[in-house]
Amino acid sequence: NAGVTQTPKFQVLKTGQSMTLQCAQDMNHNSMYWYRQDPGMGLRLIYYSASEGTTDKGEVPNGYNVSRLNKREFSLRLESAAPSQTSVYFCASIRSLAGDTGELFFGEGSRLTVL
Amino acid sequence: GDSVTQMEGPVTLSEEACLTINCTYTATGYPSLFWYVQYPGEGLQLLLKATKADDKGSNKGFEATYRKETTSFHLEKGSVQVSDSAVYFCARFSGSARQLTFGSGTQLTVLP
C-alpha cells in the first residue's frame, strides 16, 4: 500500500514564485491535513480538510491556500513564496469515523527552500 | 487552546541506558495521547498511543502511561539502542476539533 504520497520531495524556489504541493492517500480516509515542520517548533497545522468539500485554517495559514480536489487528494499552494516558508511540509490523513482515536498517517515530507 | 509541552533536547545517551522524555498536555476535554517517532529523512510514524486515563501504550520496548492527575504522558524505555536515535514527538488529539497538536520534539542520539 502506498499510504500517503507527497510530491515533490524537494523544491527550491525564488522569492515571489508560486508552487503547489500535491498529496494523495489511498486509504479512503475522510480527513486530510497539511503541517509544516521547523526546527524547535514541532509540527504546526497549516490547513485541514475534515471531509471532501470542506477546508479550514489551522494555526499558521497565512501565505497558503488549499484545495480538496476529491476524497483522495489535498493540495497546498504557495501563491508568492517567501523565505519564511522554507520548511519541511507534511501531509497526513485520518479515517475520521465515530470513535476514531486520532491516529494520523503521514507522508514522507516535502522539503521546500525559498531563496 | 490545546497545547503539548515536551522536554527539550537534544538528549544523548549511551547504549543500554534508561530513557525518559517528559510530556505534559492541556487538560481540555478527554484527548487521546500519542508518541510519534521520526527517523532521519523520514516522515512521522506512530510509536504508541493511549486513549483514556490510566491506559498504558507500549511498542518496541517503549512505554507511556496516560496520567490524568498530572496531565502527563512521559515516554520511557529501560534500555535504548543505537537504532532508537530519532526525533520523538508527543501529541494530543482533540476529537471535537479533529486536530492533532504536537510538542516541539526531542532529538535522541544513542551512542554505541
Side-chain angles (χ1 to χ4, degrees):
Chain A
N1 287 338
V4 179
T5 304
Q6 294 180 228
T7 56
K9 288 187 168 43
F10 299 95
Q11 184 72 47
V12 178
L13 293 176
K14 295 181 179 179
T15 297
Q17 287 185 318
S18 63
M19 76 156 298
T20 300
L21 298 176
Q22 306 286 354
C23 175
Q25 51 88 13
D26 62 1
M27 296 173 283
N28 200 35
H29 286 176
N30 293 321
S31 299
M32 298 184 73
Y33 303 79
W34 276 106
Y35 287 90
R36 60 177 288 173
Q37 182 181 24
D38 302 294
M41 303 187 75
L43 277 76
R44 294 180 292 169
L45 182 64
I46 304 171
Y47 271 93
Y48 67 102
S49 170
S51 61
E52 188 178 355
T54 68
T55 60
D56 287 285
K57 296 179 180 179
E59 182 184 356
V60 288
N62 291 345
Y64 305 95
N65 285 301
V66 290
S67 295
R68 184 73 182 269
L69 303 172
N70 47 55
K71 191 171 185 179
R72 290 187 64 248
E73 299 173 287
F74 188 40
S75 63
L76 178 72
R77 183 161 178 82
L78 286 70
E79 292 290 353
S80 179
S84 61
Q85 294 178 305
T86 294
S87 187
V88 181
Y89 292 84
F90 288 97
C91 179
S93 69
I94 187 176
R95 290 178 309 159
S96 290
L97 300 176
D100 202 323
T101 56
E103 178 184 348
L104 267 65
F105 293 81
F106 284 84
E108 294 185 344
S110 299
R111 183 175 295 275
L112 175 65
T113 301
V114 183
L115 303 176
Chain B
D2 296 340
S3 66
V4 175
T5 302
Q6 186 175 340
M7 184 176 86
E8 292 189 12
V11 175
T12 303
L13 296 174
S14 297
E15 202 165 25
E16 299 184 2
C18 294
L19 170 70
T20 299
I21 301 177
N22 292 333
C23 172
T24 58
Y25 63 92
T26 53
T28 307
Y30 302 93
S32 297
L33 302 174
F34 301 82
W35 279 99
Y36 280 83
V37 59
Q38 183 180 31
Y39 298 104
E42 298 184 10
L44 277 73
Q45 304 173 25
L46 179 66
L47 179 60
L48 54 83
K49 67 180 181 182
T51 59
K52 60 183 187 298
D54 300 324
D55 269 1
K56 176 184 284 188
S58 62
N59 186 25
K60 299 181 180 180
F62 291 90
E63 293 183 340
T65 301
Y66 192 141
R67 302 286 189 196
K68 189 176 181 182
E69 64 275 14
T70 55
T71 63
S72 65
F73 192 56
H74 304 322
L75 182 68
E76 300 176 326
K77 187 173 186 180
S79 176
V80 294
Q81 305 299 313
V82 173
S83 57
D84 294 328
S85 298
V87 182
Y88 293 82
F89 292 92
C90 185
R92 61 163 280 160
F93 183 72
S94 168
S96 58
R98 311 302 304 171
Q99 292 185 21
L100 193 65
T101 302
F102 287 89
S104 57
T106 301
Q107 171 79 56
L108 171 66
T109 301
V110 181
L111 302 175

